[in-house]
């Protein structure tokens, strides 16, 4: 039917996404159903726009996720269909997924939570060619992480690093909706710059306690939260795993084995190995050939270590951190709710966020100005943006009480308006856009931020470039 009826494939996709059946087969074509016959045959899946959650590129493989909530199950089925019939149609071994154990149905109901497997793409970041970050959150279960570490280390994943994936860092964040996944609490936007939800920074926390006006968070007591609930929503804890020498040896033997039984034995032995990096009493790791030599003191320290160890930044002190809401209360919490830290990096130093998070944007601008960074090779364009931002931002005062030009923050509307006003042709437009650097591009979020949907959530890169 699809060969004879051009609308068939379009309407099939629309039905699969919306659940709405508007057409029916008639002979060798399609017939539109009467209005009173149009019906929903299953629920719509509007969350499909958050493509990052259902599939993640890990090197040259695709990791199909297993969402926690039933409402997202159909998205995964559709993504697996695309993976098997389009993205990885020539090699289904490039598709990775994990699920509950075969005997999961036999586990007593009260113990099933401990063996539940759920993980979403917002909690999985390929932060460098050798290093994967996994969040343990409201949506990603501890047992899923155990299985992912083993499965990903064993898989023959090709990356731009000679040994492929060999480091996995697990970041446990509080199980609360305001920080749904790890990509909602931090983003890497330049090799030496990160955006981070300030309360999750150990440095920010210490700075607050050093201030005279600091007050503890009394809302938990007001809401009379139980100790168990407080522990569930507790802040960050970190664990790191490394594919050690013994693991690499078993992995090599597994992939070289020809006999099925022998292969299975190597696989079982590989899964029994302990890959956790354990620090001594001084916080130093004992694994000698791992580039990470000490346990991070907190999330911000981990991010700084990544910049130094894997992106060539000279020291941790040279790494800059942009805090949600500029690290000011109550703006940090308010802008976290509207995805201040959930940005998508288009290219190094240029990221996309929401215009309602103006305190975060101003903090980014402040850091760029302090470094003397350029925002474009065209002074006329920079001056235009500065003038536009005078109207967009309530004031130009920074945290130190000084006036500053907002030139490293660019609203997408202003970019389009400048192109139209200057009547730039296609080549001139490409040249202008290519010249933009060290800039946070802002979009209007409208209702998207209410769904906890930042630009990072709505992108799923299939190819990763240097």
């Amino acid at each position: 039917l699809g060969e004879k009826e051009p609308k068939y494939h379009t309407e099939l996709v629309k039905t699969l996404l919306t659940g709405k059946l508007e057409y029916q087969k008639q002979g060798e074509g399609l017939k539109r159903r009467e209005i009173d016959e149009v019906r929903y045959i299953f629920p719509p899946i509007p969350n499909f726009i958050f493509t990052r959650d259902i599939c993640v590129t890990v090197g040259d493989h695709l990791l199909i996720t297993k969402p926690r909530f039933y409402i997202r199950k159909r998205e995964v089925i559709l993504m697996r269909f695309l993976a098997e019939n389009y993205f990885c149609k020539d090699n289904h071994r490039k598709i990775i997924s994990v699920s509950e154990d075969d005997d999961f149905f036999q586990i007593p109901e009260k113990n099933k939570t401990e063996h539940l497997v759920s993980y979403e793409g917002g909690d999985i970041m390929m932060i460098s060619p050798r290093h994967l970050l996994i969040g343990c959150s409201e949506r990603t279960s501890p047992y899923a992480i155990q299985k992912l570490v083993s499965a990903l280390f064993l898989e023959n994943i090709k990356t731009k690093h000679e040994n492929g994936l060999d480091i996995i860092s697990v970041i446990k964040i509080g199980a609360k909706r305001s920080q749904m996944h790890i990509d909602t609490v931090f983003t890497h936007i330049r090799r030496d710059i990160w955006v981070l939800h300030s309360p999750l920074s150990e440095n920010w926390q210490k700075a607050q306690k050093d201030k005279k006006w600091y007050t503890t968070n009394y809302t938990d007591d007001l809401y009379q939260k139980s100790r168990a609930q407080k522990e569930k929503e507790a802040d960050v804890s970190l664990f790191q795993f490394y594919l050690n020498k013994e693991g690499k040896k078993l992995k090599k033997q597994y992939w070289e084995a020809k006999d099925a039984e022998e292969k299975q034995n190597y696989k079982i032995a590989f899964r029994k190995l302990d890959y956790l990096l354990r620090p001594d009493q001084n916080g130093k790791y004992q694994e000698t050939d791992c580039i990470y030599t000490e346990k991070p003191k907190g999330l911000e320290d981990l991010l700084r270590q990544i910049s130094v160890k894997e992106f060539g930044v000279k020291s941790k002190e040279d790494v800059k951190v942009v805090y949600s809401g500029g690290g000011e209360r109550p703006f940090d919490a308010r802008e976290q709710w509207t995805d201040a830290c959930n940005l998508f990096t288009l290219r190094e130093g240029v990221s996309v966020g929401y215009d309602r998070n103006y305190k975060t944007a101003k903090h980014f601008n402040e850091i760029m100005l302090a470094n003397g960074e350029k925002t474009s090779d065209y002074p006329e364009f920079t001056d235009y943006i500065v003038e536009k931002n005078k109207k967009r931002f309530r004031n130009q005062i920074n945290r130190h009480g000084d006036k500053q030009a907002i030139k490293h923050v660019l609203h997408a509307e202003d970019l389009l308006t400048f192109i139209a006003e200057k009547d730039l042709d296609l080549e001139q437009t490409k040249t202008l856009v290519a010249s933009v650097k060290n800039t946070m591009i802002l979009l209007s979020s409208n209702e998207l931020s209410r769904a906890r949907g930042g630009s990072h959530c709505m992108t799923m890169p299939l190819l990763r470039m240097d």
Side-chain angles (χ1 to χ4, degrees), residues 55-119:
C55 184
V56 181
T57 306
V58 181
D60 62 342
H61 284 55
L62 283 181
L63 175 63
I64 307 294
T65 65
K66 189 175 183 296
R68 178 181 175 187
F69 297 111
Y70 178 79
I71 193 66
R72 306 205 68 176
K73 301 293 184 182
R74 194 161 85 253
E75 299 172 47
V76 175
I77 295 172
L78 294 176
M79 183 52 66
R80 180 170 284 278
F81 176 84
L82 290 173
E84 292 182 356
N85 294 278
Y86 185 69
F87 302 129
C88 303
K89 65 179 180 180
D90 297 325
N91 187 358
H92 288 179
R93 282 304 305 265
K94 289 186 178 292
I95 302 173
I96 307 171
S97 61
V98 298
S99 59
E100 283 85 9
D101 296 330
D102 294 340
D103 62 350
F104 181 72
F105 70 96
Q106 294 179 320
I107 298 173
E109 202 65 37
K110 63 179 181 179
N111 297 331
K112 279 191 173 180
T113 303
E114 298 175 15
H115 295 82
L116 183 69
V117 170
S118 68
Y119 58 102

